[in-house]
Amino acid sequence: MCLSIPAEIISITGDMAKVSVGGTMYNASIKLVEDINVGDFMLIHSGYGIAKIDEAEANSTLNLMQEIKKKMYQKDYSKELDN
Amino acid sequence: MSSNIITLDHGSGGKLTMDLIKMFTSNFRKNNSIEMTDSAVFNSELGITAFTTDSYVVNPIYFPGGDIGKLAVCGTVNDLAVSGAIPKYLSCAFILEEGLSIDELESIVKSMSKTADSAGVSIITGDTKVVEKGACDRMFINTAGVGFLQKKHKLIGSGANVKPGDKILINGNIGDHGLAVLSIRNSFTNDIKSDCAPLNNLIKNCLAVNDSIHFMRDATRGGLAAVLTELSEKVNFGISINEKNIPLAESTRGLCEFLGFDPLHLANEGKVIIVAGDGWKEILKTMESHPLGKESRVIGTIVDRYPGRVVLETEIGGSRIIDIPAGMQLPRIC
Amino acid sequence: MEVCGGHTTSIHKFGIPSLLPDNIKLLSGPGCPVCVTSRYFIDDALECSRTENIILTTLGDLIRVPGTETSLYKEKSKGRDIRIVYSVLDALQIAKDNKDKKIVFPGIGFETTAPLSAAAILQAKETGLDNFYILSAHKIMPPVMKALITEGVKINGYICPGHVSVITGTEIYKSIVEDYKLGCVVSGFEALDILQSIYMLVNQIEKNQPALENQYTRAVKKKGNKKALAMMNRVFETSDDWWRGIGTIPGSGLSLKSEFKSFDARQIFNPVERTESEEEKGCICGKILKGFKTPADCPLFSHLCTPVNPVGACMVSGEGSCATWYKYKREAV
């Protein structure tokens, strides 16, 4: 299980960005976000990007999840999450 | 029934479809000894016979991983195979829209021929009608099929031998067909391909391994959820499913999350659910060794708790029920 | 209590209630925008679709919601020009492609979707698109969150909406913490997010230190999305609004400012005569929306009121409390 599928910015043309959502390409408006660049991750809502995802915060939540899974199952699930 | 007109939801494989089927069977069913499951299985002068029919109206007629012709052969072959039959003969009736290109028709026909060859079945009769432009979407196809069973497999379609402790197996990733068709309709670009394939060889191998198969069904419209909910009601046992074990491709998961779709409700065209007793490990191995079964998994168990209900143990260890929607899934706002 | 349809769905999808100890209860509040919108809104949308030269475009969530007599879905099946779109951007495109028609987009939802409607209107204005209209039923969250407390709903904390907070930032909940001494934690939508938010609230309760906290830090910033907020405030102003199951809440709705009235769909068709009415006999949606009762307490639940035949507000949308309970939890295991 991973976090909400963020949309990765693949290219930007004016107010629109081509994004990848878990492998599916989609065109989303970036009219509502600022300081967004190729390679960033963005939260998409009904065709518009509404927030840039803070990668550091996202990683810390992912790490916490890994720690919980480890304690729950007494196994190292890091490989499973990496896949 | 609640609705007084036919809507698209009636064709989605959910509750409204079930309501229609009840109306048909209450009018058509004259012989209670014929089990009306994916195929009708009955004694005839030829032995134990399975007979089925299906119509195919998919739009667009070409999609990643297949086309309407391949679908028309696989769907009917699979309905026969999951009843325990060896599929032998198919009929094929076309309804063609005025203006359809003959080259396009021929490419679909060639696809049907290729698929029939790979499944080892023969298309031996058919019909053609042409309707005015706009009366159908380029083409509709109906196929009917006949196959033959060994006596010991006669109850597989009905699930009469299913009991608590039986394991539930599936041959691979769910949801791909439904999303492949949706993607091409909405011009979503991705690598999702329909899983459309004839399952009869894989099933034949499994039936030859041992006699532990108690039930089979292919998960088409309505998805895995429809098969499991129907089964639990039919056999009046509970079904416990482990979410972690349900095979799901990453790109399918991603698009489901994005649209708010439940993969358990998405259509498949190359997935068989097998319920097997004590010899299930050999069945699983046999599935895994077939090209159409490389991602086979045990996803759950028949239990003697909560009869008629399907309960999912979620990835975090919580539990919730699995049900089928009234009709088609639609993307959600949030 | 959570007040977000997305949270209600996640909570039940992951089976979180089955994991919590008996002394922690989750209540679903009025977080599903479809559920709290008047049936007359659907009637208005239907009236648009019956008006000559209007194409009604709608998100999937609204299509099956019943109005007083029928639904958009049934009317579409009968041949009305009603089109399902994934975004208001699709509606703008349909407007560009059909200059001889008027395109109406029903705008529902809270502070997450209101900026999107606003952005679409501003884009239409900039590009001189004069055949695009919004039928607004947008609402905002803080007034209803306060109204519930003053009405006597007994909760120990709020799990605050995730995507609303992405837009508004976290400060909008500050006065709830200060005035009512209730903890507010902004939560994401994954199982871990919700569990962590519950944990944070429980910690506050045990220390008797209600506070405003943000669990969804990867997406929600204190000041929110200033650009989106500015657009929303440019186009909309607050007004009193009627919430199904609750009643009129002052300053809880969003109406188009006079500068943008030319984009208001209400001027191009005949709105339905209305007196907002009580729910059907036996329906306890009002009490469920406020968290006083659960779906299991309702005599109509899963018998006369089902997702196929919804009677009350909480069943009409897939994210409503009753619809979610029906889908994931009925005859609880």
Side-chain angles (χ1 to χ4, degrees):
Chain A
M1 187 184 85
C2 59
L3 299 171
S4 309
I5 306 290
E8 185 182 355
I9 311 284
I10 304 297
S11 65
I12 296 175
T13 312
D15 277 335
M16 297 294 288
K18 189 162 157 199
V19 301
S20 169
V21 181
T24 296
M25 294 297 160
Y26 186 73
N27 288 325
S29 170
I30 53 169
K31 256 189 148 71
L32 297 178
V33 287
E34 280 171 323
D35 185 32
I36 206 91
N37 302 298
V38 171
D40 284 345
F41 285 83
M42 187 167 77
L43 206 60
I44 303 247
H45 190 88
S46 195
Y48 284 85
I50 58 170
K52 182 167 149 177
I53 301 208
D54 186 323
E55 217 177 312
E57 295 287 350
N59 279 332
S60 94
T61 312
L62 261 173
N63 288 340
L64 180 60
M65 203 171 76
Q66 220 163 327
E67 223 183 288
I68 290 174
K69 273 198 165 174
K70 248 199 241 180
K71 288 209 153 105
M72 267 174 78
Y73 298 111
Q74 307 298 317
K75 261 188 191 183
D76 184 5
Y77 270 78
S78 58
K79 287 198 184 66
E80 197 177 299
L81 285 175
D82 282 344
N83 283 337
Chain B
M1 276 186 281
S2 54
S3 176
N4 56 7
I5 53 168
I6 294 294
T7 65
L8 288 176
D9 282 341
H10 285 95
S12 68
K15 287 201 179 78
L16 289 176
T17 308
M18 300 301 139
D19 285 349
L20 275 188
I21 291 174
K22 277 184 197 143
M23 188 259 278
F24 298 147
T25 53
S26 71
N27 278 285
F28 292 150
R29 189 174 184 162
K30 309 279 188 248
N31 183 344
N32 282 336
S33 68
I34 297 182
E35 185 71 40
M36 286 172 90
T37 57
D38 269 5
S39 299
V41 173
F42 53 96
N43 291 325
S44 80
E45 292 74 10
L46 303 166
I48 306 173
T49 310
F51 178 42
T52 189
T53 186
D54 247 319
S55 296
Y56 300 88
V57 299
V58 68
N59 177 29
I61 60 174
Y62 297 101
F63 45 85
D67 56 64
I68 190 173
K70 183 179 178 188
L71 199 57
V73 173
C74 291
T76 294
V77 161
N78 292 345
D79 275 349
L80 291 169
V82 298
S83 301
I86 304 290
K88 292 293 282 181
Y89 306 112
L90 260 54
S91 72
C92 164
F94 288 103
I95 296 177
L96 306 172
E97 187 187 21
E98 179 190 13
L100 175 73
S101 130
I102 293 185
D103 283 347
E104 217 167 40
L105 174 60
E106 192 169 3
S107 84
I108 296 294
V109 167
K110 281 186 160 42
S111 171
M112 293 178 78
S113 174
K114 189 172 162 202
T115 310
D117 287 346
S118 75
V121 299
S122 310
I123 301 174
I124 59 172
T125 186
D127 181 65
T128 309
K129 294 285 184 294
V130 178
V131 293
E132 283 182 7
K133 201 158 184 58
C136 83
D137 261 322
R138 287 154 94 194
M139 70 174 76
F140 295 155
I141 304 179
N142 169 278
T143 48
V146 155
F148 304 102
L149 292 84
Q150 295 181 50
K151 195 171 173 187
K152 61 178 176 173
H153 297 145
K154 194 179 177 192
L155 295 178
I156 284 176
S158 69
N161 292 332
V162 168
K163 59 186 195 333
D166 284 0
K167 292 297 184 194
I168 300 166
L169 315 174
I170 193 169
N171 64 310
N173 293 333
I174 61 169
D176 292 353
H177 176 78
L179 286 187
V181 173
L182 185 94
S183 295
I184 192 155
R185 273 196 201 137
N186 291 285
S187 310
F188 293 147
T189 320
N190 53 40
D191 63 355
I192 301 173
K193 286 191 178 45
S194 168
D195 61 345
C196 180
L199 294 164
N200 53 321
N201 287 320
L202 179 148
I203 291 172
K204 186 171 141 199
N205 294 351
C206 292
L207 287 171
V209 161
N210 57 41
D211 290 337
S212 65
I213 293 181
H214 294 154
F215 175 81
M216 287 192 291
R217 188 60 54 86
D218 60 336
T220 52
R221 294 178 304 178
L224 176 60
V227 173
L228 295 175
T229 49
E230 266 180 70
L231 174 63
S232 73
E233 278 175 28
K234 202 176 166 64
V235 300
N236 204 30
F237 291 123
I239 295 183
S240 168
I241 299 292
N242 194 326
E243 188 172 41
K244 277 203 305 290
N245 294 350
I246 296 176
L248 189 61
E250 266 316 301
S251 38
T252 303
R253 179 200 295 273
L255 190 52
C256 280
E257 290 264 359
F258 182 54
L259 295 173
F261 280 8
D262 188 341
L264 296 177
H265 297 148
L266 287 171
N268 308 274
E269 292 292 342
K271 292 293 159 316
V272 57
I273 287 125
I274 295 181
V275 178
D278 290 335
W280 64 268
K281 285 193 180 127
E282 286 75 31
I283 304 289
L284 182 64
K285 249 202 217 146
T286 308
M287 289 164 80
E288 282 169 336
S289 66
H290 192 281
L292 296 175
K294 291 199 180 325
E295 301 295 330
S296 296
R297 298 265 194 286
V298 183
I299 59 169
T301 315
I302 305 290
V303 295
D304 55 13
R305 307 186 296 283
Y306 39 84
R309 280 265 169 265
V310 185
V311 174
L312 182 80
E313 186 188 320
T314 68
E315 283 186 346
I316 59 161
S319 64
R320 64 165 170 94
I321 63 170
I322 294 176
D323 201 353
I324 51 169
M328 305 183 302
Q329 290 196 86
L330 292 167
R332 56 173 163 86
I333 296 178
C334 286
Chain C
M1 173 178 277
E2 89 274 359
V3 283
C4 166
H7 281 155
T8 308
T9 304
S10 290
I11 284 167
H12 290 288
K13 190 177 92 169
F14 295 123
I16 288 176
S18 65
L19 293 172
L20 294 174
D22 288 340
N23 61 342
I24 300 180
K25 252 184 132 155
L26 296 179
L27 293 178
S28 296
C32 160
V34 171
C35 300
V36 296
T37 299
S38 167
R39 278 177 293 183
Y40 290 118
F41 181 73
I42 299 296
D43 291 346
D44 283 345
L46 283 162
E47 198 51 42
C48 285
S49 75
R50 290 181 193 122
T51 306
E52 209 180 317
N53 283 332
I54 293 185
I55 299 174
L56 187 82
T57 57
T58 177
L59 296 177
D61 296 54
L62 273 184
I63 196 89
R64 289 202 184 95
V65 177
T68 52
E69 282 168 16
T70 181
S71 71
L72 292 169
Y73 189 65
K74 287 192 178 147
E75 293 304 298
K76 181 176 157 63
S77 300
K78 288 180 187 161
R80 296 265 176 230
D81 199 345
I82 296 171
R83 304 189 197 182
I84 299 176
V85 294
Y86 289 96
S87 161
V88 67
L89 288 168
D90 298 332
L92 278 175
Q93 189 60 48
I94 293 173
K96 280 188 206 137
D97 296 340
N98 293 274
K99 282 290 175 59
D100 57 328
K101 304 269 188 189
K102 295 177 177 163
I103 278 62
V104 173
F105 179 81
I108 68 160
F110 306 121
E111 292 95 323
T112 325
T113 46
L116 277 46
S117 294
I121 286 174
L122 289 170
Q123 187 174 332
K125 188 169 179 158
E126 269 165 48
T127 55
L129 198 62
D130 60 1
N131 61 332
F132 172 76
Y133 303 86
I134 295 265
L135 185 68
S136 173
H138 287 299
K139 296 172 169 49
I140 57 174
M141 286 311 303
V144 72
M145 291 170 76
K146 291 179 185 171
L148 290 177
I149 308 302
T150 51
E151 279 217 33
V153 172
K154 297 265 179 286
I155 53 173
N156 301 101
Y158 269 121
I159 299 172
C160 295
H163 292 152
V164 163
S165 307
V166 164
I167 302 293
T168 61
T170 55
E171 296 294 280
I172 58 165
Y173 310 111
K174 206 161 166 214
S175 59
I176 295 175
V177 178
E178 285 166 2
D179 297 349
Y180 303 105
K181 308 287 179 253
L182 268 184
C184 288
V185 174
V186 176
S187 174
F189 296 87
E190 294 300 318
L192 171 70
D193 293 325
I194 294 167
L195 286 170
Q196 190 175 20
S197 302
I198 294 171
Y199 177 72
M200 288 159 78
L201 277 170
V202 167
N203 261 336
Q204 290 181 15
I205 293 163
E206 293 200 331
K207 293 179 187 148
N208 198 15
Q209 286 172 354
L212 173 57
E213 290 188 89
N214 180 9
Q215 183 279 334
Y216 199 17
T217 49
R218 64 191 183 276
V220 174
K221 305 297 167 203
K222 189 172 172 183
K223 297 233 184 300
N225 180 334
K226 285 186 277 193
K227 209 171 169 189
L229 266 177
M231 281 197 206
M232 186 179 91
N233 292 330
R234 168 103 204 277
V235 172
F236 290 105
E237 57 193 3
T238 58
S239 54
D240 295 350
D241 206 348
W242 188 85
W243 292 60
R244 188 172 173 183
I246 299 175
T248 303
I249 302 179
S252 65
L254 290 175
S255 310
L256 286 170
K257 284 182 172 168
S258 51
E259 186 192 339
F260 298 98
K261 278 291 183 222
S262 58
F263 296 98
D264 189 347
R266 288 185 172 90
Q267 51 168 2
I268 59 168
F269 72 99
N270 294 319
V272 168
E273 283 283 323
R274 65 187 66 204
T275 324
E276 297 295 356
S277 60
E278 296 294 323
E279 293 290 348
E280 310 282 343
K281 197 166 175 220
C283 172
I284 59 167
C285 271
K287 297 198 171 85
I288 292 172
L289 278 170
K290 292 172 202 167
F292 290 134
K293 297 274 181 195
T294 68
D297 297 324
C298 179
L300 306 180
F301 176 73
S302 92
H303 307 296
L304 292 170
C305 186
T306 64
V308 176
N309 284 314
V311 173
C314 304
M315 191 64 92
V316 296
S317 156
E319 290 180 347
S321 315
C322 293
T324 311
W325 198 287
Y326 187 94
K327 188 175 169 190
Y328 292 125
K329 213 179 153 173
R330 79 181 176 286
E331 292 164 41
V333 290

